[in-house]
Amino acid sequence: MDWDKLRIFHAVADAGSLTHAGDKLNLSQSAVSRQIRALEESLNATLFHRHARGLILTEQGELLFDATQSMSARLEAASARIRDSEEEVFGELRVTTTVGFGTLWLAPRLSKLYEQYPNLKVDLMLEERVLDLPMREADVAIRMKEPSQADLVRKRLMTVRMGLYATPAYLEKRGILETAGDISQHRLICQNQRSAQVGSAAVLGKKLMAHNPGSLLTVNNYFGVLQGVLHNIGIGILPDYVTEEFPQLVEMLPEEDQNGVPVYLAYPEELRHSQRVGAFRDFVQSEIMAHRKHMKELGKL
């Protein structure tokens, strides 16, 4: 198959329109249409259903689009490696992690990364969904469990411990937890048990739910849990990387979490020698070491 025709097919399938694909490729609509017809003739297959509102892939078209998507991702990875300078760190780096870790731990520290590499552009994608690194949905991931995808370089960064926290103002009004059963006299703030929780966060939540909290506030990320705690709404289940920045919070029943949540950094094998990825990896590891040192000073490690 003609590589140029496949490139045009991919653009049309992605845009769903000959006109939009032509604009992206700087080709006329008629030129794009001729290339698609020629490709369909060479394959003896119809690749698109044509209708008034645009184009829809046929079953054969879906098969070809899957192949061109993979090709596009590989070419993009190769291009990124070629663009990487051996002496400079610049260009775009797409980083994905959870909403809680990204907003409360990573984002506040990025100024140090930019001080080192002012020409770097970081695209921070915060969501609970696990993005596909081999398909280049992101360049680097920081996740709260070991990635299962193949062809990834992975490194365990640290273990996060979960705890029960409240403000002094809330505890002065409602009293402190002496046992897990005391949660029946309090409002518990935690992630929804149906959300994508992992490790001891879910275990601790289920343990406290068994004691029938007097009231409940559930949120789908730790940023929301933290806000509830800071505003004296109740007692929250929070990771230690969050509460490190809020020393005024009081921790109760630290013995309830014995396991912890592992944190991993991962990136595709083909980006192993990327200068951008290497710079970000070294930055995160340096910040983790500083975090661990601070937690030891606080007596929490």
Side-chain angles (χ1 to χ4, degrees):
M1 284 182 280
D2 187 306
W3 283 93
D4 198 47
K5 290 184 176 62
L6 289 176
R7 179 177 64 88
I8 293 171
F9 162 80
H10 183 80
V12 174
D14 191 48
S17 160
L18 294 173
T19 302
H20 292 157
D23 291 341
K24 185 176 180 179
L25 298 168
N26 294 317
L27 294 173
S28 67
Q29 179 180 339
S30 60
V32 172
S33 180
R34 283 197 302 272
Q35 294 289 346
I36 295 298
R37 282 200 304 271
L39 180 60
E40 288 180 321
E41 289 172 2
S42 70
L43 293 172
N44 193 27
T46 301
L47 300 175
F48 294 99
H49 293 300
R50 294 156 173 83
H51 61 91
R53 291 180 296 174
L55 302 174
I56 298 176
L57 286 166
T58 63
E59 183 177 353
Q60 292 87 348
E62 291 280 4
L63 288 171
L64 187 59
F65 187 51
D66 285 343
T68 58
Q69 272 190 313
S70 179
M71 291 162 54
S72 177
R74 294 291 182 180
L75 288 170
E76 185 180 341
S79 176
R81 287 181 60 184
I82 292 168
R83 290 195 307 269
D84 272 344
S85 166
E86 293 184 359
E87 298 179 355
E88 292 185 79
V89 175
F90 62 93
E92 183 180 66
L93 181 70
R94 297 169 299 164
V95 179
T96 179
T97 188
T98 61
V99 175
F101 192 84
T103 56
L104 298 169
W105 192 89
L106 181 57
R109 290 170 164 82
L110 286 178
S111 60
K112 299 177 185 177
L113 180 65
Y114 283 121
E115 286 174 8
Q116 287 183 275
Y117 307 108
N119 295 322
L120 186 64
K121 176 186 175 184
V122 177
D123 181 8
L124 197 54
M125 297 178 282
L126 306 181
E127 54 183 293
E128 308 310 312
R129 181 174 71 92
V130 177
L131 299 187
D132 192 328
L133 296 183
M135 287 301 295
R136 297 304 307 280
E137 289 186 326
D139 299 316
V140 185
I142 298 177
R143 285 291 166 188
M144 306 303 128
K145 59 181 177 180
E146 184 170 7
S148 59
Q149 294 167 302
D151 300 323
L152 294 182
V153 179
R154 47 178 66 77
K155 179 176 179 59
R156 184 164 178 164
L157 296 174
M158 63 178 176
T159 298
V160 172
R161 193 175 62 81
M162 307 303 299
L164 291 164
Y165 296 88
T167 60
Y170 174 86
L171 296 176
E172 183 178 347
K173 182 178 179 181
R174 301 294 299 271
I176 199 166
L177 286 186
E178 299 287 351
T179 68
D182 291 341
I183 197 68
S184 62
Q185 306 302 315
H186 293 269
R187 180 174 296 110
L188 177 65
I189 310 173
C190 63
Q191 288 202 54
N192 190 303
Q193 293 294 301
R194 296 186 300 275
S195 66
Q197 297 188 75
V198 293
S200 57
V203 173
L204 183 54
K206 289 177 181 177
K207 184 183 296 185
L208 291 166
M209 288 293 204
H211 292 285
N212 298 315
S215 179
L216 192 64
L217 169 62
T218 58
V219 191
N220 67 347
N221 62 66
Y222 288 127
F223 182 76
V225 174
L226 175 65
Q227 293 305 306
V229 171
L230 292 177
H231 288 82
N232 309 313
I233 295 173
I235 297 173
I237 300 176
L238 288 167
D240 56 11
Y241 68 77
V242 171
T243 56
E244 177 187 7
E245 305 299 327
F246 299 91
Q248 74 272 28
L249 296 181
V250 178
E251 183 179 9
M252 292 155 286
L253 308 180
E255 70 281 356
E256 288 296 328
D257 177 30
Q258 301 294 327
N259 299 314
V261 178
V263 180
Y264 287 87
L265 182 143
Y267 48 91
E269 177 67 37
E270 59 258 36
L271 294 182
R272 179 185 289 275
H273 301 293
S274 164
Q275 297 298 309
R276 291 191 296 274
V277 171
F280 181 78
R281 179 196 61 223
D282 294 345
F283 154 73
V284 170
Q285 289 178 328
S286 175
E287 289 301 307
I288 292 291
M289 289 175 63
H291 164 77
R292 289 179 59 83
K293 181 179 178 181
H294 187 214
M295 297 304 287
K296 283 183 179 178
E297 291 171 351
L298 295 174
K300 294 187 176 182
L301 279 182

